[in-house]
Amino acid sequence: MTPQLLIFFVLAALAVLGALSLILQKHPIHSALSLIVVMVALAGLYLLMGAEFVAAVQIIVYGGAIMVLFVFVIMLLNAGIEEHTSLSKFAGPPGLLLVVALAGFLAATIARSTGTVQAAGQTGAMSSTKGISSMLFRDFVYPFELTSFLILVAIMGAVVLAQREKN
Amino acid sequence: MSAFLASNAELIITIVKIALLLFIVLTVNAYLTWFERKVVAHMQSRWGPHRVGPHGLLQPLADGVKFLFKEDPTPAGVDKFVYYLAPLLALALALTSISIIPFGPNPIRLFGHDIYLGIAPPDLNIGILALFAITALGVYGVALAGWSSNSKYPLLGGLRSSAQMISYELALTMSVVGVLLIAGSFNLTDIINVQAKHPERGILGWNIFPQILGFICFFIAAVAETNRVPFDLPEAESELVAGFHTEYASFKFAMFFIAEYTSMITVSSLCAIMFFGGWLSPFPASWTFAHYLPSVILIPAGLWLIWDGIRYETIFGKIILPGVGTVLTVAGIALLIPNFQFVNEFIQAPFWLLSKIFVFLFVYVWMRGTLPRFRYDQLMAFGWKLLLPLSIMNVILTSFVILKWGAQ
């Protein structure tokens, strides 16, 4: 077993455990912390694949900015321990169906793939900052700009909502 | 055994480097507290620490022992896991960020391996991004400490600090974009090398001149990120007792303390590397006589220590101070000997980087001795309405200049 593969399995296990803990934890802050663990483990996986830029951005944007906002809001609302509720009648059956479908889809994909599991470094466009930026600003410039526009609209909506409350 | 050593040489070298850097950084941290107390005291016409050891030089040791032996109570109703996690997180992230900093361009050749000064490999492509990623996570130490303490003052301190860090992180990141545009790289070594493009210009080639606006934004935002005066709202003692670490005692408090001082060192190194030429000498490359500057500083400092130590009151000081002075003087003279010229050439780069870091640390202490604290609304308005637009303007200006005339 190469060191890369070992690190891959450690990080993958960390990500899965974090995701499980996110759902099973009773306290919102503990759930948020579990989500941070997932984000950082994913960043580690990206790093392992040689996508250094994506890994750094993953931690800065998701691990840093977004999750800090989550934690901040939980602290601000002083949310306590959640009450345990039984499974919703309406969400239960479709949810189970979805789980089975997703698991089946994943299993089928893994079964059909012929390549061996490897955690080798990527080279080329995906790994370098230059490659990613030229992809983002040349090949996918319209989707990128549309997304920016969507975010702008969301920001303006938030500002309008906050303003109305003041008046 | 030797086969194991040979196959894992890189790993072993890195572990030794980590241990060494940890020792150096923690010692520097300890003496930074002494330096800060001494400088602030002199600014306020006091003596500062002067009882423990000559000139209070053993005060950090006494403080450390005190931190270790104090009672370590856990307040009632705290969230135990998060309460213990927070100081660990703060300290671990602060110490990790130092590992990205390169301290010199030339490797030491030892046992057939090139050993670079600094833990991260010199060709780390995402140097500055990795640093920002680690700082971005640093918020959690403070925020979680405030939340988990189950007490109102820490909670308010933690809230304040998360809001402050989110606000200033934007300005911090935007303000370095100008430097990145000039260098065309995230790699810290590349950023320094770009500033050495014209060796004859010396200090004039540094990034500080085209990027003065970026530097101002960066330094202010960085001080706010490290929660230091005048941005130490999270621990404003007149309002919040001690802010987020009110409920922490003993070594857990010390961990927050060490984390804060370590981030000061990181920020100072970043300022030096990105705007002040890192390990480059401020003199033009042809001024080789400037290479004797370390000796010029070491010898008088050593002689002064000897003179001062002989007049010192205590026996201990009469022995220690001249002893240290003699070591410094001998080191300074040794660097002048032609046989040791290769050593003198080697220490030039670390000498300049460390001097610049020291200057920025002094500025930190200077600000603490000078400036009053901001009010909370002033802090937010300053960050969002002044610092962020300024740093964005800097990015736009730099981009236009580079488009028109090219970098350099």
Side-chain angles (χ1 to χ4, degrees):
Chain A
M1 193 182 257
T2 60
Q4 274 92 348
L5 208 58
L6 194 71
I7 296 171
F8 170 80
F9 278 122
V10 169
L11 286 172
L14 209 61
V16 172
L17 285 180
L20 280 178
S21 147
L22 161 68
I23 302 169
L24 297 177
Q25 288 289 353
K26 290 224 166 59
H27 204 289
I29 285 264
H30 294 167
S31 293
L33 284 178
S34 314
L35 191 51
I36 297 167
V37 171
V38 177
M39 303 286 190
V40 174
L42 283 183
L45 285 177
Y46 295 151
L47 205 58
L48 202 61
M49 289 194 288
E52 294 169 340
F53 181 77
V54 182
V57 169
Q58 163 87 7
I59 292 189
I60 293 174
V61 175
Y62 288 97
I66 292 179
M67 287 317 295
V68 168
L69 222 57
F70 273 43
V71 170
F72 185 68
V73 169
I74 295 172
M75 278 167 68
L76 203 62
L77 298 178
N78 207 3
I81 294 171
E82 286 174 345
E83 275 180 36
H84 192 77
T85 54
S86 53
L87 214 62
S88 155
K89 272 177 197 154
F90 298 105
L96 278 175
L97 207 68
L98 267 176
V99 167
V100 170
L102 191 64
F105 176 70
L106 278 177
T109 316
I110 292 169
R112 275 173 59 186
S113 70
T114 49
T116 49
V117 177
Q118 57 170 349
Q122 292 272 330
T123 48
M126 271 311 283
S127 66
S128 74
T129 316
K130 206 173 229 167
I132 288 175
S133 61
S134 68
M135 215 150 60
L136 211 55
F137 290 103
R138 285 209 185 112
D139 306 347
F140 299 110
V141 65
Y142 292 114
F144 178 75
E145 291 296 332
L146 271 177
T147 318
S148 320
F149 190 70
L150 200 66
I151 293 171
L152 187 68
V153 170
I155 293 172
M156 283 161 67
V159 170
V160 166
L161 283 177
Q163 283 291 332
R164 196 169 57 193
E165 207 152 274
K166 203 188 255 177
N167 296 335
Chain B
M1 187 62 194
S2 61
F4 173 79
L5 279 179
S7 59
N8 291 300
E10 286 298 317
L11 194 68
I12 292 164
I13 288 172
T14 309
I15 290 172
V16 170
K17 271 203 275 191
I18 290 172
L20 207 64
L21 189 71
L22 207 57
F23 173 74
I24 294 172
V25 166
L26 292 180
T27 313
V28 169
N29 266 329
Y31 277 92
L32 199 55
T33 63
W34 173 84
F35 176 73
E36 177 169 25
R37 289 168 71 174
K38 214 60 178 168
V39 170
V40 171
H42 280 272
M43 281 176 182
Q44 299 167 343
S45 306
R46 296 184 285 118
W47 281 110
H50 64 108
R51 290 287 174 88
V52 192
H55 295 294
L57 272 171
L58 294 181
Q59 186 71 42
L61 202 69
D63 285 345
V65 171
K66 192 179 115 182
F67 276 136
L68 274 175
F69 286 106
K70 278 256 173 178
E71 190 191 349
D72 189 5
T74 306
V78 299
D79 188 319
K80 279 245 172 63
F81 178 70
V82 182
Y83 180 76
Y84 283 98
L85 177 74
L88 261 176
L89 207 61
L91 182 61
L93 290 170
L95 288 174
T96 313
S97 59
I98 286 256
S99 69
I100 313 278
I101 308 278
F103 288 98
N106 302 315
I108 304 174
R109 188 112 190 122
L110 214 62
F111 310 123
H113 289 278
D114 281 340
I115 301 175
Y116 283 90
L117 304 177
I119 292 169
D123 56 348
L124 184 71
N125 284 330
I126 49 163
I128 187 79
L129 278 181
L131 257 175
F132 281 145
I134 296 166
T135 4
L137 292 180
V139 188
Y140 292 118
V142 177
L144 292 177
W147 176 80
S148 67
S149 294
N150 187 32
S151 165
K152 59 189 169 194
Y153 295 123
L155 182 66
L156 284 173
L159 275 176
R160 273 190 182 183
S161 90
S162 0
Q164 176 180 334
M165 284 173 155
I166 296 170
S167 310
Y168 279 80
E169 214 164 76
L170 289 170
L172 186 77
T173 319
M174 291 304 278
S175 58
V176 298
V177 173
V179 172
L180 299 179
L181 285 172
I182 291 175
S185 168
F186 290 119
N187 184 333
L188 291 172
T189 313
D190 285 352
I191 290 175
I192 296 175
N193 287 341
V194 161
Q195 302 177 61
K197 226 183 214 169
H198 305 281
E200 275 318 301
R201 283 195 201 161
I203 190 170
L204 295 176
W206 293 356
N207 275 339
I208 178 69
F209 293 104
Q211 288 296 319
I212 179 85
L213 199 60
F215 170 69
I216 293 169
C217 292
F218 177 80
F219 192 67
I220 295 174
V223 172
E225 275 288 301
T226 45
N227 287 331
R228 294 282 301 179
V229 177
F231 299 101
D232 59 340
L233 273 289
E235 41 189 298
E237 59 274 281
S238 52
E239 305 156 23
L240 296 178
V241 189
F244 63 89
H245 57 62
T246 306
E247 302 292 344
Y248 284 88
S250 183
F251 212 73
K252 292 208 283 297
F253 167 72
M255 283 159 96
F256 281 118
F257 207 65
I258 298 170
E260 182 181 320
Y261 280 81
T262 312
S263 359
M264 275 166 67
I265 298 177
T266 316
V267 165
S268 306
S269 332
L270 266 188
C271 281
I273 286 174
M274 293 205 294
F275 297 97
F276 287 86
W279 51 66
L280 304 173
S281 157
F283 305 112
S286 54
W287 293 13
T288 43
F289 57 85
H291 290 189
Y292 294 110
L293 206 64
S295 303
V296 173
I297 291 173
L298 276 177
I299 294 173
L303 289 177
W304 182 81
L305 262 183
I306 294 173
W307 182 70
D308 181 63
I310 289 167
R311 298 179 315 146
Y312 205 79
E313 295 94 345
T314 57
I315 305 289
F316 188 59
K318 274 195 171 112
I319 299 167
I320 287 293
L321 289 178
V324 175
T326 317
V327 170
L328 291 186
T329 315
V330 169
I333 293 170
L335 288 177
L336 291 174
I337 298 171
N339 285 346
F340 287 114
Q341 272 316 292
F342 71 99
V343 178
N344 195 26
E345 289 307 312
F346 182 79
I347 63 159
Q348 288 299 318
F351 166 74
W352 281 113
L353 184 58
L354 295 180
S355 317
K356 287 166 191 173
I357 293 174
F358 178 75
V359 169
F360 282 110
L361 288 175
F362 176 75
V363 173
Y364 258 110
V365 175
W366 186 9
M367 287 198 306
R368 176 167 175 196
T370 318
L371 294 176
R373 189 177 291 135
F374 271 96
R375 219 170 53 216
Y376 192 64
D377 57 318
Q378 288 173 334
L379 174 96
M380 281 296 156
F382 186 69
W384 286 104
K385 293 181 184 163
L386 186 71
L387 224 49
L388 188 61
L390 262 186
S391 51
I392 293 177
M393 203 173 81
N394 180 46
V395 172
I396 297 173
L397 271 178
T398 315
S399 317
F400 270 116
V401 169
I402 288 178
L403 262 184
K404 190 95 176 29
W405 291 287
Q408 304 294 312

